[in-house]
C-alpha cells in the first residue's frame, strides 16, 4: 500500500492549543487512510466498489429501479438471492466513520480559533450523517481558517468500472498568510482581464470573492493522494458546482518547493543560452507562478456540458487547457507590469521543464498519464514548428515563436471545451499525441 505522506513542519510558532489540534487531525488522517485501503488496492488499482461478476448492463438495469446503486457514496453488493443492493459508505465503513466523528469533535474542542472550531464540528455532523456533498460544500465556502483539512470521498478516478464511486482522501494543511495574499493579487489580475476569461465559461460571471485561494504548508496527504506529491489542487470539478459555490484553489507551498529542488532543477543545465545559476531563485519563483496560473486557469475556464461532450478526454483536456491557458495569461501580466519579459521567459522554461519531467515519469507512474498525454500533443506541435529544438540532450527555445504556439494550441483547446465532442478531441490526439517524442526530450542526468 502507498504509505501516508508526511512533511516536516515547524509548528513552534503556533499556540499550544493549535499544535494539539494538529495532533488530533493527524490521527484523523490515519483513519481516512484505512478506509481508502479498504476501497482501493494501490498496487493493482482494483477497487472493492462492485461484486466481481457484475457487468455494466446488469448494473444499469438494476439502477433504474434503485438509483442508489450508482451513487458516488455506496458500495454495490449481492444479497443472498444474488440481488444487487447498495450499502452506504457510512455503514460499510461504520467503525472508521464513528472514529472520524470522534476525532473531529475532539479537534473542534481543542482549537481556540472559533471559526475553525465551528468548521470542524459541522464537518463532524455531516460525516456522521454520511452527507458527503455537504462536507464538500462546506470546504468550498468556509472563509480561510489557519488550519484546513480536506476529508471524505472526493474524486472518482479510482473507479475504472463506472467512473462514479468516489475514494477517500485527506490533506492536513496550515495557512501561509503572506503567500496567500500574493496569490490573491495574481488572481485579481486574471479576473480583470476580460480577454482571458472566455465569456461563455460558467465561471466568467463569478465574482472574485467566489474564487478562494489558500497557500498552505502541508503536514499530511493520506488516502488517494498518499505517496504522490501534488503541487496544488482546485475543486470542485463539476461546472455546475463552480457556478453555485465558486472555486477553491489550494497551493501546497512546501511540497512545491521540494519538488522543484528534487525533480525539476536538474534539467536546467541542459537548456541552451540559459544560466541555471543566475536564475536559481528566479526559476523556483517561475515554477511557483506556473503552478498558481495553472490552478487559476483550471478554476475559471469551465463550460456547461463539457464533461458529457468530451467523454473520456475530459480530464486530459482540462489539464492541458490549464497549462496552456495559465502560461498564456502571464503575457498579460507582462503588459500590466506585474512581471518582466525576462520573468515571462523564465515561466516558459519552467513550463517546458515541468512538462518534460511529467513525460519521463509517466512511463512508470500511470496515474500521471492524464497530464502526459496533453504534453505529448504540445511537444509534437512545438517540435514541428521548431519553437523548441532538442539535440544531444540540450534544449534550445525560440521564446517569441513558442509564445505564439501556445496561443494557437490554447485557442484550439478552449474551442474543444466550449463546443467540442469526444470525436473532435480524438482527431486531435490521433494526429498529435505520439508518445515516442519522449525519447527526444532532455533528461535530467
Ligand atoms: Zn490541474
Amino acid at each position: 500500500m502507498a504509505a501516508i505522506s508526511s512533511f516536516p513542519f515547524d509548528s513552534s510558532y503556533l499556540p499550544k492549543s493549535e499544535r494539539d489540534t494538529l495532533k488530533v487531525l493527524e490521527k484523523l488522517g490515519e483513519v481516512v487512510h484505512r478506509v481508502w485501503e479498504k476501497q482501493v488496492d494501490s498496487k493493482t488499482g482494483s477497487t472493492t466498489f462492485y461484486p466481481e461478476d457484475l457487468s455494466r448492463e446488469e448494473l444499469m438495469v438494476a439502477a433504474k429501479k434503485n438509483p442508489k446503486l450508482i451513487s458516488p457514496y455506496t458500495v454495490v453488493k449481492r444479497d443472498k438471492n444474488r440481488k444487487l443492493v447498495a450499502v452506504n459508505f457510512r455503514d460499510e465503513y461504520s467503525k472508521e466513520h464513528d472514529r472520524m466523528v470522534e476525532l473531529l469533535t475532539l479537534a473542534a474542542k481543542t482549537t481556540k480559533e472559533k471559526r475553525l472550531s465551528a468548521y470542524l464540528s459541522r464537518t463532524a455532523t455531516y460525516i456522521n450523517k454520511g452527507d458527503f456533498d455537504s462536507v464538500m460544500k462546506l470546504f468550498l465556502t468556509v472563509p480561510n481558517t489557519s488550519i484546513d483539512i480536506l476529508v471524505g470521498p472526493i474524486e472518482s478516478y479510482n473507479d475504472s468500472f463506472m467512473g462514479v464511486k468516489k475514494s477517500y482522501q485527506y490533506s492536513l494543511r496550515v495557512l501561509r498568510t503572506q503567500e496567500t495574499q500574493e496569490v490573491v493579487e495574481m488572481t485579481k489580475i486574471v479576473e480583470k482581464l476580460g480577454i482571458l476569461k472566455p465569456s461563455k465559461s460558467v465561471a466568467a460571471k463569478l465574482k472574485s470573492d467566489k474564487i478562494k485561494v489558500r497557500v498552505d504548508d502541508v503536514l499530511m496527504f493520506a488516502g488517494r493522494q498518499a505517496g504522490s506529491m501534488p503541487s496544488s489542487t482546485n475543486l470542485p470539478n463539476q461546472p455546475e458546482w463552480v457556478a453555485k459555490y465558486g472555486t477553491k484553489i489550494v497551493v501546497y507551498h512546501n511540497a512545491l518547493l521540494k519538488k522543484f529542488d528534487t525533480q525539476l532543477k536538474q534539467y536546467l543545465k541542459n537548456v541552451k543560452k540559459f544560466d541555471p545559476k543566475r536564475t536559481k531563485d528566479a526559476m523556483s519563483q517561475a515554477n511557483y507562478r506556473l503552478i498558481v496560473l495553472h490552478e487559476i486557469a483550471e478554476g475559471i475556464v469551465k463550460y456547461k456540458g463539457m464533461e458529457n461532450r468530451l467523454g473520456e478526454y475530459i480530464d486530459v483536456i482540462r489539464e492541458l487547457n490549464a497549462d496552456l491557458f495559465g502560461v498564456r495569461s502571464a503575457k498579460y501580466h507582462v503588459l500590466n507590469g506585474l512581471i518582466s519579459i525576462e520573468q515571462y521567459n523564465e515561466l516558459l522554461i519552467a513550463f517546458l521543464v515541468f512538462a518534460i519531467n511529467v513525460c519521463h515519469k509517466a512511463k512508470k507512474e500511470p496515474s500521471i498519464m492524464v497530464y502526459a498525454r496533453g504534453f505529448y500533443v504540445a511537444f509534437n506541435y512545438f517540435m514541428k514548428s521548431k519553437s523548441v529544438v532538442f539535440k544531444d540532450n540540450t534544449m534550445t527555445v525560440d521564446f517569441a515563436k513558442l509564445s505564439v504556439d501556445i496561443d494557437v494550441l490554447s485557442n484550439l483547446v478552449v474551442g474543444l471545451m466550449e463546443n467540442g465532442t469526444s470525436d473532435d478531441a480524438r482527431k486531435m490526439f490521433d494526429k498529435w499525441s505520439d508518445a515516442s517524442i519522449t525519447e527526444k526530450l532532455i533528461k535530467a542526468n
Side-chain angles (χ1 to χ4, degrees):
M1 286 315 297
I4 290 173
S5 318
S6 299
F7 293 79
F9 174 71
D10 180 5
S11 61
S12 58
Y13 72 97
L14 292 170
K16 180 162 189 313
S17 60
E18 305 317 293
R19 294 201 303 266
D20 290 343
T21 307
L22 286 173
K23 278 184 202 143
V24 178
L25 292 173
E26 279 175 357
K27 282 190 194 144
L28 174 64
E30 289 161 18
V31 181
V32 174
H33 197 72
R34 287 208 292 274
V35 178
W36 181 71
E37 286 178 328
K38 288 185 173 181
Q39 291 187 306
V40 183
D41 179 337
S42 73
K43 280 205 190 83
T44 63
S46 65
T47 57
T48 52
F49 298 128
Y50 310 97
E52 274 183 21
D53 61 353
L54 181 66
S55 71
R56 276 162 168 261
E57 294 71 29
E58 185 187 0
L59 179 62
M60 290 321 286
V61 170
K64 277 187 190 143
K65 278 191 189 152
N66 180 8
K68 270 182 73 183
L69 291 169
I70 48 169
S71 149
Y73 309 126
T74 62
V75 176
V76 177
K77 295 190 167 182
R78 290 189 190 282
D79 67 11
K80 54 181 186 298
N81 303 316
R82 296 192 37 84
K83 193 178 167 235
L84 294 176
V85 291
V87 182
N88 291 323
F89 283 172
R90 175 67 182 92
D91 304 321
E92 177 70 11
Y93 318 111
S94 154
K95 252 202 220 155
E96 287 84 358
H97 281 101
D98 290 346
R99 183 71 181 139
M100 284 183 217
V101 173
E102 245 173 61
L103 289 168
L104 281 162
T105 309
L106 176 60
K109 279 185 196 144
T110 309
T111 178
K112 293 242 161 66
E113 188 182 331
K114 270 191 188 158
R115 190 184 276 163
L116 176 63
S117 174
Y119 171 40
L120 294 172
S121 61
R122 280 178 73 191
T123 304
T125 307
Y126 294 139
I127 293 225
N128 201 17
K129 286 188 198 158
D131 180 1
F132 303 112
D133 276 352
S134 292
V135 175
M136 175 51 70
K137 283 173 204 169
L138 183 62
F139 168 80
L140 293 172
T141 52
V142 74
N144 279 350
T145 46
S146 65
I147 297 172
D148 192 23
I149 55 170
L150 176 64
V151 60
I154 314 280
E155 313 256 26
S156 53
Y157 298 140
N158 286 128
D159 177 8
S160 54
F161 183 62
M162 291 296 291
V164 278
K165 306 289 180 194
K166 297 189 175 179
S167 44
Y168 275 74
Q169 72 183 61
Y170 184 76
S171 68
L172 172 60
R173 291 161 283 108
V174 177
L175 186 72
R176 295 184 71 98
T177 316
Q178 193 199 324
E179 286 82 357
T180 299
Q181 198 44 47
E182 285 163 18
V183 174
V184 167
E185 294 304 318
M186 286 170 72
T187 314
K188 278 187 190 155
I189 294 228
V190 176
E191 270 291 292
K192 278 187 204 147
L193 299 167
I195 188 169
L196 275 170
K197 210 162 48 170
S199 59
K200 286 179 191 153
S201 165
V202 292
K205 291 179 200 84
L206 281 188
K207 294 200 183 102
S208 52
D209 64 349
K210 283 261 189 127
I211 301 182
K212 285 217 165 56
V213 175
R214 311 180 45 110
V215 178
D216 290 339
D217 277 320
V218 180
L219 277 75
M220 178 189 259
F221 288 129
R224 200 182 68 84
Q225 286 184 316
S228 70
M229 206 196 285
S231 303
S232 55
T233 184
N234 87 75
L235 286 163
N237 282 332
Q238 313 94 300
E240 293 73 19
W241 274 54
V242 173
K244 260 195 212 160
Y245 307 107
T247 188
K248 180 165 169 176
I249 296 169
V250 185
V251 177
Y252 305 135
H253 183 86
N254 54 347
L256 202 161
L257 294 184
K258 188 175 165 196
K259 188 174 177 180
F260 180 78
D261 275 346
T262 56
Q263 296 183 20
L264 301 175
K265 213 164 73 177
Q266 294 87 307
Y267 289 98
L268 295 175
K269 59 180 181 299
N270 296 333
V271 182
K272 275 205 166 167
K273 293 181 196 157
F274 203 77
D275 180 359
K277 277 190 206 117
R278 172 182 66 86
T279 56
K280 193 181 153 211
D281 284 339
M283 284 310 296
S284 181
Q285 276 292 316
N287 181 57
Y288 206 100
R289 189 171 282 126
L290 177 79
I291 300 305
V292 171
L293 290 173
H294 172 107
E295 295 302 347
I296 296 173
E298 193 166 340
I300 65 172
V301 187
K302 288 183 196 281
Y303 292 95
K304 273 208 178 113
M306 67 179 189
E307 284 159 325
N308 287 332
R309 279 186 283 105
L310 293 171
E312 72 264 38
Y313 289 96
I314 181 62
D315 292 332
V316 179
I317 290 192
R318 192 183 54 228
E319 294 301 338
L320 177 60
N321 170 69
D323 288 307
L324 296 170
F325 202 93
V327 174
R328 185 182 171 195
S329 67
K331 208 153 51 175
Y332 298 87
H333 290 190
V334 178
L335 289 175
N336 278 258
L338 191 74
I339 61 171
S340 66
I341 294 266
E342 203 170 39
Q343 285 173 316
Y344 173 66
N345 289 345
E346 284 160 359
L347 181 78
L348 291 176
I349 297 286
F351 164 62
L352 293 171
V353 164
F354 185 91
I356 289 167
N357 188 51
V358 169
C359 290
H360 286 310
K361 273 180 28 186
K363 282 187 273 184
K364 283 182 215 143
E365 279 178 54
S367 65
I368 58 172
M369 189 49 86
V370 57
Y371 305 96
R373 286 172 67 201
F375 291 140
Y376 299 151
V377 173
F379 280 120
N380 276 293
Y381 189 79
F382 299 156
M383 281 156 84
K384 181 134 204 221
S385 86
K386 297 199 171 66
S387 57
V388 182
V389 176
F390 293 96
K391 205 185 158 198
D392 305 330
N393 204 27
T394 63
M395 175 169 77
T396 311
V397 181
D398 180 333
F399 290 104
K401 232 182 192 174
L402 178 61
S403 179
V404 173
D405 281 359
I406 287 172
D407 277 9
V408 172
L409 269 181
S410 169
N411 274 330
L412 245 158
V413 173
V414 171
L416 280 174
M417 291 174 85
E418 189 175 354
N419 304 306
T421 63
S422 54
D423 275 347
D424 300 328
R426 188 171 302 114
K427 275 179 206 147
M428 182 172 98
F429 280 87
D430 282 353
K431 181 153 187 217
W432 292 102
S433 71
D434 180 4
S436 68
I437 200 113
T438 308
E439 304 310 317
K440 296 184 183 150
L441 305 175
I442 48 173
K443 290 169 192 72
N445 57 34

